[in-house]
Amino acid sequence: MHARSRSAPARSYPVRNRRARRARCSDSAPARRPVGVTLLVTVVLGLASSSASAQVARFTTELALDVRSPQIADMTEDGGRLAVVVRTRRGRTDVDHQRFGDPTYVAPSLATAMVIDARTGARTWLHEEPTQLGDFAWSPDGRRLAYLYHDGERFGLRVHDAESGRTRDVVLPRERPVASSSPLEWTPDGRSILMAVRPDGWAERASAAFHELTDAAVVVQDSRNAFLAWDRVDLIADEQVTVLVDVDNGSLRELLTDVVPQSIGFSPDGARITYQTAVPRKTSYTRRDGTDYGLYTLDLASGGEPVQLVAPSEERVRVVWNDARDAFAWADGGAVHVRALGEEEGRDVTEGLRTMPGDTADVDYGVERWSPDGRDLLLTSSKGWHVLQVQAGDLQTVLALEEDEEARPSRSIERWSADGRYLYFSYSARDRWERGLKRLDIGSGEVEDVVLDGGVYRGWRITEDGSTIAYTMSDGDRPEDVWVTGEGYSAPVRLTSLNPELDDVALARTELVEYLDVDGNTLYGILYYPADYEPGRAYPLVAEVYEEFFDNGFNENMNLITAQGWLGFRPSVRFEEGYPGEAWLKAVPSAINKLIERGLVDPERVGVYGQSYGGYAVNLLITQTDRFAAAANVSGKVNIISFLGDSPKITTRNYAAAEVGQDRIGATLWEQPHKYIAHSAVMFADRIDTPLLMLSGEGDWNVPATNQREMYYALRRLGKEVVWVHYTAGGHGAGRASTVADFHDHWQRMFDWFAEHFGEDRATTSPQDGSD
């Protein structure tokens, strides 16, 4: 049965929210609608919650450092409790970037953490002060929350009892510190936790390997070794021992000592685990070779050796297990195969099902997930979503997708309800800000809106019966908060209000802008209005370029730009492999012209900047046009040839980026050297007439400052206007990835640079103090 089209009326649903019905509430107690009482608070999405006239303070770099962003780390199976982690930019400052690549170094990423009762809104702080935290996991009964924390020296394991409110350390043997990348999986009986610890002597070996490459008097590289030197350090960083930890006494049971298991899962009785492996065999330049992938099961009851299900090879196979962990499915060449434990090989369950009426080519299927009862598989194709009864071989199309793939809304499966009736999926239109969660009735084909409006939704957590649905949501302009809805709620409930200090701050208002690039492609960009915007006035504009932009939501960069009284803009581009440098010239000026035609922008006061790949884009763009009053490149390369070997700590990443990745050259330097020259802005520095500000960080392991230095010396030699600002404590992102003082300095220099070249006669202000 086919689903109804998007234009068909949707059936009523108790938590349906078409156009931004939101109840504001405090942190301590959420606003709920009592039985028999009607409560409706309307918030216009796309606007700040307070009127512009009431907002007198401007957004500053000091405020930016403390904007709180929540993440739902885990939810209990019944949806009653949420573990929520809250991070700020300030918590990521003061990183020692020189220690990037040191396996023993834990870069600061401080956060606060709390448990929220989803029904009452009551919160219990786990860490009210910023702390270095790792993964979180609720026990199967939802009473205990395990999580990893760093005490300044090493990671440890803590367990919080949600009913008593007590938190205790699980004391592990001191010689077996917890691995920073450790998984955290409760056994089904709730007695133990599967995690990873370091092998004996690991810290000493890891530290020695790092210092041999950074401090040694002589460093030797030898191509006869299968791995580059920094890849060998990474191999040490990955070493771990997978163990079961008894949460009562901290005793360890070793399970795996020589591999790093991935996608670990327990059988329902806890008697076995299944896992995949990815074992590097050599340094890879193509991302398609050098690693062997395998699939295994381990019987925990017998304590025997792992059983190989798929022999290790360079062919990467994505397998999908059923909930019982006794059968798995995978797609190969468009056909879907299923294999049960105990069987020697799988069987093609789509044999005879790959031909559809009117099609001459076979349908290629992918595997999405198993039904909760393990009888059906949800398959995907370019045509739609299909439910396959594995034993009977019956295939039903439950959702037909739109024929125009470019206009097709984005959909992603989030949950299959326990009764098998509903598929919950996130939804986003491609031509407007219409986003949220829907559910598909598999039997009837009807699609219902759970929440659907202009908000930005992330982190869906859905109970198996749909009674509780937790998520984070931004109205499109303000930072996100945690919300909850579902069958058990009469309306969505806001559980947090994390940024009250922004209630009286003027934040940017956003608009989705549609335009055509010079090739006729329809593209979209996000326009950010200053809070004091006056219709009919033409404003200076600063564009941030990268790749594709569509979703709005709170954006630190654009709010700092608009706080200067300028329009901010994030236009999208369309790439052609082999000629990526043309994309920005074809799209960015066209997008800005659209705004100029509307009378929004002063064409003489347009600036452009970008970071990383966006900074690279800026430097290429200003070799091709002089229409910008000023430009800024933040941590972006300028010479793609020297860049190939500029970043030793990330080994072959830069080669792969050019040949098969983001840089989109599509060939090696020796196959098509002319394309590497054409995409190195420094080769065309003589064509640059736009004043250029460059910002870099001494500890940038991604785009070392030596690359930007090439452009500075070239432009200075050519008599061009260029300023190079280098942060000795900075990393990738320059001052934005440095100290608090450097963060302020970075942005002040950006503001002053554009203001100067926009012809604004104003004294330099300290953006952190909120003054005008």
Side-chain angles (χ1 to χ4, degrees):
M1 178 181 295
H2 292 268
R4 297 186 315 178
S5 68
R6 187 162 48 85
S7 60
R11 216 174 62 178
S12 63
Y13 184 68
V15 297
R16 185 173 172 184
N17 178 30
R18 278 198 172 273
R19 287 290 178 264
R21 295 182 180 181
R22 291 290 183 267
R24 293 193 61 184
C25 55
S26 68
D27 286 344
S28 58
R32 302 192 60 166
R33 190 177 78 178
V35 176
V37 178
T38 299
L39 175 65
L40 176 63
V41 178
T42 301
V43 177
V44 179
L45 293 180
L47 298 176
S49 61
S50 301
S51 66
S53 61
Q55 296 177 328
V56 294
R58 67 189 180 97
F59 190 69
T60 66
T61 52
E62 183 67 17
L63 287 171
L65 285 164
D66 295 313
V67 172
R68 300 169 189 87
S69 300
Q71 176 191 6
I72 301 173
D74 200 11
M75 181 174 76
T76 56
E77 290 185 7
D78 67 356
R81 297 184 177 108
L82 307 176
V84 176
V85 176
V86 181
R87 301 186 186 277
T88 65
R89 176 169 289 280
R90 191 183 297 274
R92 303 194 303 275
T93 57
D94 297 322
V95 173
D96 185 351
H97 295 285
Q98 298 298 335
R99 291 189 65 184
F100 178 85
D102 182 349
T104 66
Y105 178 61
V106 178
S109 180
L110 308 182
T112 57
M114 70 186 89
V115 171
I116 301 178
D117 188 307
R119 297 180 176 87
T120 68
R123 69 168 53 169
T124 301
W125 282 105
L126 301 175
H127 292 276
E128 195 167 4
E129 294 299 318
T131 307
Q132 189 87 19
L133 301 171
D135 280 354
F136 287 71
W138 285 104
S139 60
D141 62 7
R143 296 176 57 184
R144 292 164 296 164
L145 176 66
Y147 66 96
L148 302 179
Y149 76 102
H150 196 269
D151 63 6
E153 295 184 3
R154 59 176 56 203
F155 275 100
L157 174 64
R158 281 185 175 170
V159 175
H160 170 74
D161 188 308
E163 296 191 353
S164 69
R166 291 192 294 270
T167 301
R168 64 180 180 86
D169 291 341
V170 178
V171 181
L172 305 177
R174 184 160 184 81
E175 68 274 11
R176 307 306 293 270
V178 176
S180 58
S181 58
S182 173
L184 208 60
E185 298 282 345
W186 288 84
T187 55
D189 62 9
R191 296 178 180 177
S192 302
I193 295 174
L194 184 147
M195 52 191 304
V197 297
R198 295 301 189 183
D200 292 338
W202 174 86
E204 292 77 13
R205 290 188 297 106
S207 180
F210 175 78
H211 288 288
E212 283 174 6
L213 293 180
T214 55
D215 299 336
V218 178
V219 177
V220 177
Q221 304 270 10
D222 189 336
S223 68
R224 291 170 293 184
N225 194 299
F227 293 97
L228 280 168
W230 280 105
D231 277 338
R232 295 198 295 275
V233 177
D234 287 343
L235 291 176
I236 297 174
D238 289 339
E239 290 180 7
Q240 63 182 50
V241 177
T242 304
V243 298
L244 282 178
V245 177
D246 187 306
V247 294
D248 289 331
N249 58 34
S251 62
L252 306 182
R253 174 188 170 187
E254 292 190 2
L255 300 181
L256 300 167
T257 59
D258 57 349
V259 296
V260 179
Q262 301 174 355
S263 304
I264 304 170
F266 283 95
S267 61
D269 61 2
R272 66 175 177 277
I273 60 171
T274 62
Y275 60 94
Q276 294 176 255
T277 58
V279 181
R281 300 300 183 192
K282 65 176 182 179
T283 288
S284 174
Y285 288 83
T286 67
R287 302 179 182 172
R288 294 188 294 266
D289 65 343
T291 298
D292 287 344
Y293 302 93
L295 182 67
Y296 297 85
T297 182
L298 176 63
D299 191 318
L300 301 180
S302 67
E305 294 296 313
V307 175
Q308 178 180 288
L309 301 175
V310 175
S313 73
E314 290 186 345
E315 182 179 357
R316 189 187 307 224
V317 178
R318 175 184 174 268
V319 301
V320 180
W321 286 92
N322 63 0
D323 288 349
R325 289 273 164 170
D326 60 8
F328 58 94
W330 72 97
D332 184 13
V336 174
H337 302 262
V338 169
R339 178 179 165 189
L341 292 183
E343 295 179 346
E344 292 299 320
E345 55 185 41
R347 62 187 179 92
D348 182 353
V349 293
T350 52
E351 186 175 1
L353 300 174
R354 297 185 61 193
T355 302
M356 289 192 173
D359 286 339
T360 57
D362 286 346
V363 175
D364 288 340
Y365 292 109
V367 181
E368 181 66 32
R369 65 183 61 202
W370 290 79
S371 62
D373 62 12
R375 297 176 181 176
D376 302 332
L377 278 171
L378 176 63
L379 309 182
T380 58
S381 74
S382 62
K383 303 292 183 181
W385 296 351
H386 322 273
V387 171
L388 173 68
Q389 295 177 351
V390 175
Q391 294 302 322
D394 294 333
L395 185 72
Q396 174 191 12
T397 298
V398 295
L399 181 69
L401 299 179
E402 297 81 358
E403 291 187 8
D404 186 346
E405 294 188 18
E406 290 193 4
R408 181 182 297 169
S410 174
R411 301 178 177 92
S412 180
I413 301 293
E414 303 292 341
R415 184 86 187 200
W416 197 334
S417 64
D419 60 8
R421 181 178 178 182
Y422 294 113
L423 286 173
Y424 290 85
F425 61 93
S426 57
Y427 174 93
S428 177
R430 290 290 180 91
D431 59 353
R432 61 193 180 281
W433 287 333
E434 183 179 74
R435 298 163 291 215
L437 185 74
K438 297 179 177 239
R439 72 176 187 180
L440 167 67
D441 187 315
I442 293 176
S444 68
E446 293 183 342
V447 176
E448 309 168 30
D449 301 334
V450 179
V451 286
L452 185 68
D453 50 38
V456 181
Y457 295 85
R458 307 183 199 279
W460 298 104
R461 301 275 180 164
I462 305 172
T463 57
E464 63 179 15
D465 62 356
S467 62
T468 301
I469 301 169
Y471 52 93
T472 62
M473 193 275 287
S474 162
D475 66 0
D477 295 335
R478 296 184 59 81
E480 297 175 352
D481 274 300
V482 179
W483 291 73
V484 68
T485 189
E487 294 276 15
Y489 296 79
S490 57
V493 176
R494 180 176 176 177
L495 295 177
T496 63
S497 182
L498 294 172
N499 292 282
E501 69 280 3
L502 297 182
D503 288 347
D504 296 323
V505 173
L507 298 181
R509 174 173 64 88
T510 54
E511 176 190 340
L512 186 65
V513 177
E514 178 182 322
Y515 57 93
L516 299 177
D517 69 9
V518 298
D519 290 333
N521 296 307
T522 299
L523 299 174
Y524 296 91
I526 309 170
L527 180 63
Y528 297 79
Y529 289 88
D532 59 355
Y533 170 75
E534 300 174 7
R537 175 184 165 191
Y539 283 79
L541 177 141
V542 175
E544 178 184 2
V545 296
Y546 193 72
E547 296 190 19
E548 183 178 4
F549 297 109
F550 185 84
D551 286 327
N552 53 349
F554 176 80
N555 183 271
E556 170 192 288
N557 296 354
M558 290 291 100
N559 270 282
L560 288 169
I561 292 295
T562 58
Q564 309 310 304
W566 308 326
L567 289 166
F569 190 39
R570 306 178 92 194
S572 299
V573 300
R574 179 76 58 86
F575 293 101
E576 179 182 354
E577 183 165 316
Y579 308 93
E582 298 177 357
W584 295 286
L585 182 64
K586 289 180 176 181
V588 175
S590 296
I592 294 172
N593 288 343
K594 179 73 174 283
L595 302 179
I596 293 173
E597 291 167 4
R598 291 173 53 186
L600 298 173
V601 175
D602 180 346
E604 301 301 317
R605 295 190 293 168
V606 177
V608 62
Y609 86 98
Q611 178 173 311
S612 190
Y613 193 58
Y616 165 68
V618 166
N619 256 120
L620 283 176
L621 183 59
I622 61 174
T623 67
Q624 302 170 81
T625 178
D626 61 358
R627 71 166 302 164
F628 297 102
N633 172 356
V634 181
S635 298
K637 59 183 175 284
V638 302
N639 185 341
I640 202 170
I641 300 173
S642 60
F643 180 65
L644 293 175
D646 256 359
S647 312
K649 290 184 178 181
I650 54 177
T651 67
T652 65
R653 200 289 307 269
N654 294 351
Y655 275 95
E659 296 170 16
V660 297
Q662 184 184 42
D663 290 336
R664 299 175 175 89
I665 301 300
T668 70
L669 171 63
W670 303 275
E671 291 169 334
Q672 298 192 29
H674 59 286
K675 288 187 177 179
Y676 283 77
I677 294 172
H679 289 87
S680 295
V682 71
M683 302 295 184
F684 308 96
D686 59 318
R687 302 180 185 179
I688 295 176
D689 292 321
T690 306
L692 177 64
L693 170 68
M694 296 190 299
L695 302 101
S696 61
E698 179 67 24
D700 192 336
W701 45 265
N702 192 338
V703 184
T706 52
N707 207 273
Q708 285 193 326
R709 184 175 62 195
E710 295 182 36
M711 181 61 76
Y712 174 74
Y713 276 99
L715 291 178
R716 185 179 178 91
R717 170 65 181 83
L718 293 165
K720 310 285 186 175
E721 183 178 357
V722 58
V723 173
W724 179 29
V725 181
H726 185 62
Y727 295 93
T728 56
H732 190 58
R736 294 182 68 242
S738 188
T739 64
V740 167
D742 286 351
F743 180 82
H744 293 309
D745 183 84
H746 174 116
W747 277 109
Q748 190 62 59
R749 292 182 187 278
M750 291 271 286
F751 302 151
D752 292 344
W753 181 254
F754 286 115
E756 175 189 349
H757 292 91
F758 289 163
E760 296 183 5
D761 184 15
R762 58 177 181 172
T764 297
T765 62
S766 299
Q768 62 268 27
D769 66 8
S771 61
D772 292 327

